[in-house]
Amino acid sequence: MTRPRLSLRPYRPGDMDRFTPRADFEQERAAVGWAWKGAPPPGRTWTLVRESAVFTYVLGVGGLFEASPSHWHAWAVMSDMGPREWVEAGKLAGQVLDGVDLFNGPQQMTATARASIEGARGYLEKLGFRANGEVIDERVGDRVIYQLMVRAA
């Protein structure tokens, strides 16, 4: 028996409380001090779900917020998923990002990849983001280095 496919739906209040974030996302939350239980950041937000005939499983939440009228920033919080689910989630995220480029026209879209999270930069590159050479060094607890990734509109 195969698992139902993943899909995105608009965020509903309480979705952030309906899954357990993967450990690296939880570490990220703690490092930047974001209490993500409850409401997500403002902006456009989607929920990644797997729906069966009986249950809807929330696997993650992500979105875009407007840093300025011409600059949007992408973010995501995900549960522990298997490799196939990550590939499927990436395809869905790519469709969202392509739609934003097409219909809303921000001049720049950014995301940050934490250097200590293996594969984060590569995953963002698959979504069309490219490193711009800027490194953001935040010192919250342990030294945390982020690579700013830019996706051209």
Side-chain angles (χ1 to χ4, degrees), residues 82-143:
R84 289 182 182 168
E85 291 170 317
W86 277 105
V87 169
E88 198 171 344
K91 289 177 183 176
L92 292 168
Q95 291 170 4
V96 167
L97 294 172
D98 289 344
V100 169
D101 288 350
L102 180 63
F103 296 112
N104 297 302
Q107 294 172 354
Q108 185 180 66
M109 199 176 304
T110 59
T112 49
R114 190 170 175 183
S116 62
I117 300 174
E118 192 174 320
R121 184 173 166 174
Y123 196 79
L124 288 173
E125 287 174 346
K126 288 179 183 175
L127 291 173
F129 289 91
R130 298 291 174 254
N132 76 341
E134 184 177 347
V135 174
I136 302 166
D137 184 2
E138 290 190 19
R139 294 178 188 267
V140 182
D142 292 339
R143 185 172 185 213

Side-chain angles (χ1 to χ4, degrees), residues 8 11 31 44 46 53 70 75 90 96 111 118 125 140:
L8 289 176
Y11 177 84
R44 296 170 181 222
W46 296 269
S70 62
W75 63 275
V96 167
E118 192 174 320
E125 287 174 346
V140 182

